[in-house]
Amino acid sequence: MFIEALVIQADDPAILMQYYRQVLELPVEMEAGGGGTVRFGASRLTVEPAPRGTHPRYHFACNIPLNRVEAARDWLQPRTGLHPIPPGRAYIAEFTGWAARSVYFSDPAGNIVELIGRQGLDDATEEPFTSMLIRNISEAGLVFPPDLYETAVCSLQADYELPVFARQVPLPGFRALGDDQGLFICVTENRPWFPTADQYAQICPLRIRFRQGRQSYKLTL
């Protein structure tokens, strides 16, 4: 699966656009009405103004070359606060079963962002790390009410022919659909987003454009 575009909401999209352009040095296009679009490699993140009084929060991840994860951490640290990985104070998560390694941070809206290198993509490079080594948005967190979770996730699998991620056994309230190139991380509402203990999954408006096989789809939640 390949995630082409995410559309999310934020209290103040202009602050996010400034952060991604000035702090993370990503290409940004401002749009009428206060929103904007950030280019993460071959994928796009569009941020729209949230309705007054709401405070949406999301989780998404971006693929980077596996051998540049330490370099990504070192590049990020002076720019933005990183989430420590328990136990201890390390900043790189080792996902042995996923053959992957990650570094996490939060943007000014409170979205949990992950840069992840995956062995299965064979994407090594000797280039110094910059944001231009972000390949694409590779994960989007999808949040469902606990009582509707199983029905909703089974419908996603059937409607879009999405496989359960081969590297992750389904768990209660947690299922990954897709492959190393693109994943939907399906969780129940109020489940803490890793690696935090106090930032909980919220049901927030989300639109996704993605490819699965030869088909293109649009998903609205």
Side-chain angles (χ1 to χ4, degrees), residues 14-35:
I15 289 178
L16 275 188
M17 295 303 102
Q18 182 181 39
Y19 171 82
Y20 282 113
R21 179 175 55 205
Q22 296 184 1
V23 177
L24 298 190
E25 301 176 359
L26 289 161
V28 168
E29 298 176 4
M30 297 302 297
E31 298 175 2

Side-chain angles (χ1 to χ4, degrees), residues 154-178:
C154 288
S155 293
L156 274 176
Q157 291 179 252
D159 292 347
Y160 302 108
E161 300 183 354
L162 294 171
V164 173
F165 186 39
R167 302 182 191 273
Q168 175 63 55
V169 175
L171 300 172
F174 182 95
R175 196 169 303 167
L177 305 180

Side-chain angles (χ1 to χ4, degrees), residues 59-152:
H59 164 60
F60 63 94
C62 300
N63 280 343
I64 63 172
L66 179 65
N67 68 330
R68 297 288 89 182
V69 174
E70 282 90 355
R73 175 202 59 198
D74 295 344
W75 186 86
L76 286 168
Q77 270 190 301
R79 292 171 166 81
T80 192
L82 301 181
H83 287 293
I85 306 300
R89 299 290 295 179
Y91 291 107
I92 295 178
E94 304 282 352
F95 297 112
T96 304
W98 285 34
R101 311 175 75 216
S102 295
V103 59
Y104 292 83
F105 58 96
S106 289
D107 67 18
N111 301 312
I112 297 177
V113 186
E114 174 186 2
L115 301 186
I116 181 167
R118 306 177 193 269
Q119 184 176 333
L121 295 180
D122 191 22
D123 191 24
T125 179
E126 297 308 316
E127 294 180 46
F129 186 84
T130 71
S131 57
M132 294 300 100
L133 285 185
I134 295 175
R135 304 307 196 191
N136 59 285
I137 296 173
S138 60
E139 295 179 14
L142 309 187
V143 186
F144 303 98
D147 58 334
L148 299 178
Y149 178 82
E150 287 297 330
T151 299

Side-chain angles (χ1 to χ4, degrees), residues 143-144 146 187-193 199-203:
V143 186
F144 303 98
V187 302
T188 50
E189 186 180 14
N190 293 323
R191 180 188 179 98
W193 282 122
Q199 296 190 42
Y200 300 98
Q202 302 179 13
I203 297 174

